[in-house]
Amino acid sequence: MAGSADTLFMPITNGEIPLGEGQWLYLGARAIDGGFPDELRAALVCEQSMRGAYLDLQMRGMNVSPRVDNTDRFSGALILIGKHRGENETMIARASNMVSAGAPILIAGDKTSGVAPLRKRIAAFAEIDGSLAKYHATVFWLRNSVDFASHFSSAKTSPQGYQTSAGMFSAEKIDKGSALLAEHLDENIRGDIADFGAGWGYLSAELLNRFSPRTVHLYEAHCASLEAAKENLSDYDKGQISYYWHDLTREAVGKKFDWIIMNPPFHEGRKTEPQLGVQFIEVAARSLKPKGGLLMVANVTLPYEKTLQQNFSKVNQLARRDGFKLLKAQL
Ligand SMILES: C[S@@+](CC[C@H](N)C(=O)[O-])C[C@H]1O[C@@H](n2cnc3c(N)ncnc32)[C@H](O)[C@@H]1O
């Protein structure tokens, strides 16, 4: 179904903005409904940190990487915004530094992404050249002529001195569910351990700080979070830590662990998606050694017990606090 990515390209495909020569930067890149026409495929340099969307673009033959180097000069930029204001503003400021002066910058998002207030904020300090709405989304565009970074507030706190950035899970404070899980880590969680959906590494850091597991394996779909985890765990790393930029719902794990710890994702965009957590539980059950165990935390409203009982022989609720439940399951 067509959506905001299709809307983003409309000013180019309808001839309002010429593609011209040279390459275009595409941040927050996602595939479009009918596939990219050849001229766009040749012109676009795509950035996508989420593994699933990255794989979709790669399968379509697009030039895509999780992070595009800041030093390049592009003839224009396309930005598909998401739900995090700070992350959106960071993308726009980065794009502005990477395209030539006066080059077009197109910004699009669906109705729920905050594209309308974003446009209003930008219109207060820069001239908007045009906009159009289609597929429940809006695109607006302008020339690269202002220092965006100086207009966006960048005040941000990082939890407990860890390295995080806007758009990552619990970028500003430790999640209460993750804290509950961390409190229940003990010396019995040992051997080869995987942290599923590891984010910027909070749970692994708690584990490594207090215990000495043989190996720790962090699986995370968001590349920027995983890179932050490498920084955050560098003091503990004696060669026993491995990092995987990995979509657990699409890619095989291919290893077996004694324990898996996780605070699984339950949102895709703004929608609650309990199915994501269900898939995480099923993958966890397949990725444990015989007698292996899973320690997971979830919002009390999420119905994971049935899936746990179907996949494990013993399931216990260890704690309940702040709207979260801590569940332990053993094969
Ligand atoms: C609720 S957060 C937990 C993060 C971290 N473990 C913590 O406790 O702070 C879930 C994490 O799963 C990641 N994630 C989402 N979908 C994923 C997938 N398909 N495969 C792997 N990781 C995924 C998200 O990027 C996010 O960092």
Side-chain angles (χ1 to χ4, degrees):
M1 209 177 65
S4 51
D6 301 77
T7 313
L8 174 62
F9 286 93
M10 286 180 67
I12 294 177
T13 48
N14 71 13
E16 191 139 2
I17 296 182
L19 200 53
E21 299 291 313
Q23 293 202 294
W24 281 60
L25 177 66
Y26 180 14
L27 297 182
R30 289 196 180 260
I32 56 174
D33 205 27
F36 291 97
D38 286 346
E39 53 166 3
L40 274 179
R41 191 192 305 274
L44 296 180
V45 175
C46 307
E47 180 181 284
Q48 177 49 260
S49 193
M50 278 307 276
R51 180 80 178 166
Y54 164 91
L55 292 174
D56 288 341
L57 287 159
Q58 201 183 48
M59 269 172 358
R60 287 168 171 79
M62 302 302 291
N63 174 358
V64 58
S65 54
R67 175 89 182 176
V68 175
D69 202 331
N70 266 346
T71 56
D72 291 316
R73 283 271 146 197
F74 292 97
S75 356
L78 293 140
I79 304 168
L80 192 57
I81 65 164
K83 60 181 171 149
H84 296 284
R85 173 175 166 167
E87 188 177 26
N88 296 336
E89 293 181 349
T90 303
M91 279 199 290
I92 295 167
R94 279 184 61 224
S96 161
N97 287 332
M98 292 158 81
V99 302
S100 327
I105 298 179
L106 284 69
I107 301 166
D110 63 36
K111 272 188 190 159
T112 61
S113 66
V115 65
L118 175 66
R119 186 198 146 138
K120 205 169 158 196
R121 284 202 302 285
I122 293 178
F125 60 80
E127 192 178 336
I128 309 284
D129 290 338
S131 78
L132 62 85
K134 181 104 183 169
Y135 307 128
H136 306 290
T138 297
V139 56
F140 64 93
W141 57 95
L142 67 166
R143 310 261 130 206
N144 187 30
S145 58
V146 290
D147 176 11
F148 284 90
S150 67
H151 291 279
F152 292 142
S153 68
S154 57
K156 176 181 94 70
T157 51
S158 286
Q160 297 176 7
Y162 286 114
Q163 184 187 307
T164 67
S165 61
M168 294 178 190
F169 178 78
S170 71
E172 300 204 0
K173 61 177 186 334
I174 305 297
D175 177 65
K176 286 183 175 162
S178 302
L180 180 65
L181 195 159
E183 276 174 35
H184 286 78
L185 293 172
D186 61 31
E187 65 279 2
N188 295 317
I189 314 287
R190 60 170 171 243
D192 301 316
I193 298 170
D195 181 354
F196 275 7
W200 50 258
Y202 169 68
L203 292 176
S204 290
E206 285 287 320
L207 189 71
L208 286 153
N209 187 28
R210 287 153 44 201
F211 308 103
S212 304
R214 184 165 50 231
T215 61
V216 178
H217 304 257
L218 288 86
Y219 288 82
E220 170 56 50
H222 187 240
C223 192
S225 296
L226 195 67
E227 290 304 313
K230 287 181 193 169
E231 292 294 321
N232 290 329
L233 301 185
S234 58
D235 284 352
Y236 306 111
D237 200 348
K238 313 266 180 297
Q240 82 285 36
I241 311 177
S242 306
Y243 300 89
Y244 309 86
W245 184 37
H246 193 96
D247 186 327
L248 284 161
T249 66
R250 286 172 60 163
E251 298 176 285
V253 169
K255 283 189 167 50
K256 298 277 186 193
F257 307 103
D258 295 291
W259 282 93
I260 293 173
I261 56 175
M262 66 185 193
N263 178 358
F266 58 92
H267 274 116
E268 206 139 63
R270 284 182 187 268
K271 250 187 13 212
T272 303
E273 268 304 346
Q275 194 50 34
L276 260 178
V278 167
Q279 282 179 278
F280 266 55
I281 292 168
E282 290 168 348
V283 176
R286 290 199 297 274
S287 309
L288 286 167
K289 298 180 194 175
K291 302 221 181 317
L294 169 69
L295 196 60
M296 69 173 282
V297 69
N299 197 299
V300 286
T301 58
L302 294 168
Y304 292 143
E305 284 77 358
K306 190 169 156 223
T307 313
L308 286 168
Q309 269 142 14
Q310 284 165 347
N311 287 276
F312 291 85
S313 60
K314 204 167 151 205
V315 180
N316 290 317
Q317 187 178 117
L318 298 187
R320 211 175 160 96
R321 196 179 71 203
D322 298 329
F324 291 94
K325 55 190 171 189
L326 181 69
L327 301 162
K328 181 178 169 186
Q330 283 192 282
L331 282 184

